[in-house]
Amino acid sequence: MSQDFESIERDVGAAVDGDPAAVAERVRTITLGALSHGKLDTDALKQVTDAVLKGAQQGIERPDRERTEAIREAVRGLDEALATAAQATLLAVKEAVGRGSEYSRQEIRGTLDQLGAMESNFLRTLSDAGRGATGLARATLHELAEHARNSGTAVGGRVANAGADLARAVADLTREQVQSGAQTLRNEAGLLAALASGMLRGIADRLHPAGSDNGKGGPRDPQT
């Protein structure tokens, strides 16, 4: 993934220091746009999440109470964007399973493992951001990480809803491929991540079509 992470930080910073009511939606849109470039894999998720959290901390110039609320809203927007990324990955795995031997079973299983780790990776990155922050931002991020661990996240809920069924489907596919001696036609690493990224672009375009004010108060999909 070729990304200008400083640009992501600047965009998130501007969003956080803007209209408080629009912070979550704008951060969600920025995150989706960043994730839909290149391959939607673990490295991309971590790098974009890091950039978003850095931008959220750097963009605060309001009084303390509003600063706390802005960080909360930024993290909520990030969580919602990651849930949408999880949805795209779920769709990609479903398509790969449905197309049988066209995709390497190792890559399908690896992507399923990545999907299962999305929530824990998000929580780890959030905790790391808290440790690297100072003052009110540090306290707020720690509180948000603890609350998310106890109450769950949007991304974790999205994965839990479909993960078990997908795991069974992948196990069945693996048995079928082994029993039939099927040869995979697509063994190149990253093809499934690229497929997931393409699906994420489709979701993001549907959420924020061209001319919708770049996600500032644009249409929302109730399923994302």
Side-chain angles (χ1 to χ4, degrees), residues 3-173:
Q3 288 275 15
D4 180 356
F5 295 108
E6 290 185 358
S7 176
I8 296 171
E9 291 179 28
R10 286 194 301 271
D11 289 346
V12 171
V16 169
D17 198 41
D19 178 7
V23 170
E25 180 64 15
R26 291 185 64 191
V27 170
R28 179 172 181 258
T29 302
I30 293 165
T31 306
L32 286 175
L35 289 173
S36 63
H37 290 82
K39 294 178 181 178
L40 184 55
D41 57 17
T42 299
D43 287 343
L45 288 164
K46 184 179 188 318
Q47 290 170 336
V48 171
T49 299
D50 280 341
V52 169
L53 291 173
K54 287 178 182 177
Q57 295 173 63
Q58 295 170 6
I60 303 295
E61 295 182 0
R62 294 191 297 277
D64 284 356
R65 183 181 63 79
E66 292 185 354
R67 184 183 193 207
T68 300
E69 186 60 25
I71 293 177
R72 291 181 186 278
E73 287 297 287
V75 171
R76 181 167 72 86
L78 173 60
D79 186 17
E80 291 175 355
L82 292 175
T84 304
Q87 179 189 8
T89 305
L90 285 164
L91 291 172
V93 173
K94 285 180 181 178
E95 178 164 328
V97 170
R99 289 160 70 169
S101 62
E102 287 192 38
Y103 283 85
S104 162
R105 55 180 172 265
Q106 290 84 3
E107 185 169 7
I108 295 175
R109 293 188 69 87
T111 302
L112 197 61
D113 290 342
Q114 170 192 308
L115 188 67
M118 282 184 72
E119 182 180 46
S120 61
N121 289 338
F122 169 49
L123 293 175
R124 186 179 305 112
T125 304
L126 187 58
S127 295
D128 289 345
R131 282 191 290 271
T134 58
L136 187 60
R138 179 187 181 95
T140 302
L141 289 169
H142 276 309
E143 179 187 339
L144 289 171
E146 186 64 24
H147 177 76
R149 276 191 290 268
N150 293 332
S151 302
T153 64
V155 62
R158 182 61 52 84
V159 171
N161 285 338
D165 289 341
L166 270 182
R168 284 192 292 271
V170 171
D172 290 343
L173 173 64

